[in-house]
Amino acid sequence: MSWKKMVAGWIQIIVGLLIFALGVHLTIRADLGLAPWDCFGMGIAKQTPLNYGLSMTVMGILILMIDVWMHEKIGFGTILDALLTGNFVQVFNDLDTLPKTSGVLTGSLTILAGLSLMSVGQYFYMSSAQCCGPRDTLLVGLGKRLRRFPIGAVQFGLLSAVLLFGWMLGGPVGIGTIVSTFGAGIVMQIVFNIIGFEPRTIQHLSIFEAVRHRV
């Protein structure tokens, strides 16, 4: 991998993370309860002095340790995701440019729009082949070990477990949480099918491999 291609990949990753963060922001602005990972992050923020962005960063680092334990590759995409995503969402939340929705229907549609953007963002930074973010690396790692199940089903199981921990920490749970938990895997599967993307087939380069193969 040349330096030019590597840097282009970093730009692609950052663009993908921005799209993903905007999607997360939409699910928060729907004001119907948070998606599982965000519920978990808010739960950590509720129990500690950290704000949401820093809570998500700390959580990303902890998940990164699990990814290493699972012997998954850690690339530049993994590090950028762990450090930037939560803080990007915090910036969108602080800017507060989008009005909160009113009503279950408009809120649910906003969540689905957010989930779609999150899936598009996942496609961008996963397809850079510089490894996934910590959470997606965990998802792909579990997916490799559970190949008999569609990746969307694996996503549902993972989100259900994350939601339980978030709820136990006092994270906000509502109708939107249910929509996100059941809808995230389905929306991701639909978006990936439309794009023609299968994340388990990407041959990712770790940080060491990316630097070693530069020309």
Side-chain angles (χ1 to χ4, degrees), residues 78-192:
T78 316
I79 304 301
L80 288 171
D81 186 297
L83 297 177
L84 297 179
T85 303
N87 293 300
F88 280 166
V89 177
Q90 187 67 51
V91 169
F92 282 123
N93 291 344
D94 290 341
L95 290 175
D96 199 23
T97 56
L98 298 175
K100 288 185 178 180
T101 59
S102 58
V104 175
L105 179 59
T106 55
S108 297
L109 291 175
T110 301
I111 290 173
L112 291 175
L115 293 176
S116 298
L117 280 176
M118 289 165 65
S119 298
V120 172
Q122 286 176 303
Y123 161 72
F124 268 93
Y125 62 73
M126 282 184 178
S127 60
S128 72
Q130 295 193 48
C131 294
C132 311
R135 291 176 291 176
D136 291 319
T137 297
L138 178 60
L139 171 62
V140 172
L142 292 173
K144 290 177 181 177
R145 291 161 175 79
L146 300 168
R147 286 191 175 274
R148 67 176 65 184
F149 299 101
I151 193 69
V154 178
Q155 172 86 316
F156 171 73
L158 177 60
L159 292 182
S160 297
V162 169
L163 176 59
L164 176 61
F165 285 115
W167 174 75
M168 292 173 64
L169 289 172
V173 176
I175 295 175
T177 310
I178 305 299
V179 174
S180 296
T181 303
F182 284 91
I186 295 172
V187 171
M188 182 183 68
Q189 193 75 60
I190 291 173
V191 171
F192 283 4

Side-chain angles (χ1 to χ4, degrees), residues 26-100:
L26 283 178
T27 65
I28 293 174
R29 295 303 291 170
D31 200 27
L32 291 178
L34 298 181
W37 285 112
D38 305 302
C39 176
F40 195 9
M42 286 293 189
I44 294 174
K46 191 173 183 179
Q47 301 298 328
T48 69
L50 303 176
N51 64 20
Y52 170 85
L54 290 176
S55 296
M56 295 299 284
T57 300
V58 170
M59 183 169 62
I61 293 172
L62 293 175
I63 297 171
L64 180 60
M65 296 171 64
I66 297 175
D67 296 335
V68 172
W69 176 74
M70 293 177 66
H71 302 292
E72 292 298 319
K73 289 183 177 181
I74 305 302
F76 286 109
T78 316
I79 304 301
L80 288 171
D81 186 297
L83 297 177
L84 297 179
T85 303
N87 293 300
F88 280 166
V89 177
Q90 187 67 51
V91 169
F92 282 123
N93 291 344
D94 290 341
L95 290 175
D96 199 23
T97 56
L98 298 175
K100 288 185 178 180

